[in-house]
Amino acid sequence: GDSGNALTQATFYQGALRNNYAPTTVNRRMAALRSITRLARDLGKITWRLRIADLKTTPNRKTAGPGVAAIERMMQAAHLEGGAQGPRDLAIIWLLYGLGLRRAEVANIDREHVHLGEEVPWIDILAKGGNEYEPMTIMGQVKAAIAGWNTYRGDHPGPLFTTMSPAVADKDRRITTKGISDIVKRLGLAVGVRTTPHGLRHTAITEAVRKNNVLDAQIFSRHTDLRTLQTYYDRDKGTAADVAASIAEGM
């Protein structure tokens, strides 16, 4: 159809979505429509653009995560698994929490990206939205956890973390992001918490905010927009409320 008909249909669709979904979900689905019509335009199938504004949203992120105590119990549960699975799961948990990595970043690590024998050991990470691997220093318990898994895995090339699913015959197959989510969910339920890989990252960033200045916390979290990190400060420290209180005290 033409531009007017498309806008009418999209507007009705957006209105129907508003009755059942959060604004962020509605905006995500409308973005998909804009994307596919943009592709159609690039291919010469249509001549118009779908111009429909997103709904206004208010950030309401749950940034605390399961908490440090719960993650410590999850690590203990991984340790008790024994065999090769325990060290693998423990290393995954440490990367999600100790480095604040996203699950896809963990899944994409290859053995050749890990440099444990250097004076300052590091690991190469393919960051979200990036096209090149970036080095991240690994120290202390993160390094120890990776080294512990490596004694079982060996130094041969390939994915750092592999599947141990009995349904998969190829034991050198890279673990999937869903596989990492399943590990976190299983270990969480084992200690009485419901969480996700991103929940571990949330806890890590919350701890970074508590113990460091905002610039150091931003370097750790790798948020390009400081406004995202501000959510953690407001949730944890009540930053805006504290500033308001300090102003009032001056009267």
Side-chain angles (χ1 to χ4, degrees):
D2 58 22
S3 176
N5 183 56
L7 181 59
T8 299
Q9 295 292 331
T11 301
F12 277 119
Y13 178 56
Q14 186 185 56
L17 290 175
R18 292 181 66 173
N19 296 327
N20 297 286
Y21 298 99
T24 52
T25 301
V26 176
N27 291 344
R28 188 162 56 246
R29 296 191 179 186
M30 299 310 296
L33 279 185
R34 286 194 295 266
S35 177
I36 197 170
T37 53
R38 184 166 57 248
L39 175 61
R41 188 173 186 272
D42 290 343
L43 294 175
K45 303 298 183 181
I46 59 176
T47 58
W48 44 264
R49 296 178 183 272
L50 182 60
R51 302 182 184 276
I52 184 167
D54 281 338
L55 301 180
K56 185 176 181 180
T57 61
T58 302
N60 187 28
R61 300 188 177 192
K62 296 180 180 180
T63 58
V68 176
I71 295 175
E72 288 178 344
R73 297 198 302 272
M74 291 171 64
M75 291 176 175
Q76 292 169 0
H79 179 72
L80 293 175
E81 287 178 332
Q85 181 172 310
R88 182 203 64 173
D89 294 354
L90 181 61
I92 288 174
I93 297 298
W94 264 115
L95 286 172
L96 293 170
Y97 172 69
L99 293 185
L101 299 186
R102 301 172 176 89
R103 62 176 185 167
E105 294 169 339
V106 173
N108 285 328
I109 301 172
D110 290 338
R111 176 61 188 86
E112 49 266 40
H113 297 144
V114 180
H115 310 276
L116 296 179
E118 303 297 327
E119 181 177 353
V120 179
W122 81 89
I123 188 168
D124 295 318
I125 301 298
L126 184 61
K128 178 183 177 181
N131 296 315
E132 297 181 355
Y133 282 82
E134 304 173 1
M136 294 186 70
T137 301
I138 50 175
M139 303 292 285
Q141 291 169 295
V142 178
K143 176 185 175 182
I146 296 175
W149 160 238
N150 202 49
T151 60
Y152 286 89
R153 183 202 175 280
D155 290 324
H156 58 276
L160 178 62
F161 297 111
T162 53
T163 182
M164 293 185 183
S165 171
V168 178
D170 182 8
K171 299 308 178 184
D172 288 328
R173 181 181 296 183
R174 185 184 305 276
I175 196 170
T176 63
T177 54
K178 182 182 183 302
I180 291 176
S181 294
D182 289 344
I183 289 170
V184 172
K185 181 180 179 180
R186 171 171 50 78
L187 291 174
L189 291 177
V191 299
V193 297
R194 299 182 66 87
T195 189
T196 64
H198 217 63
L200 272 59
R201 172 172 160 82
H202 282 324
T203 296
I205 297 173
T206 298
E207 286 299 296
V209 164
R210 287 175 177 170
K211 299 176 180 178
N212 300 272
N213 62 57
V214 63
L215 293 180
D216 288 342
Q218 185 181 20
I219 291 172
F220 174 81
S221 69
R222 295 171 290 125
H223 284 125
T224 55
D225 191 339
L226 194 58
R227 289 175 297 181
T228 305
L229 195 61
Q230 179 185 338
T231 306
Y232 289 84
Y233 272 86
D234 288 344
R235 292 286 188 272
D236 184 66
K237 296 186 175 182
T239 307
D242 291 345
V243 171
S246 69
I247 293 173
E249 288 173 359
M251 294 297 290

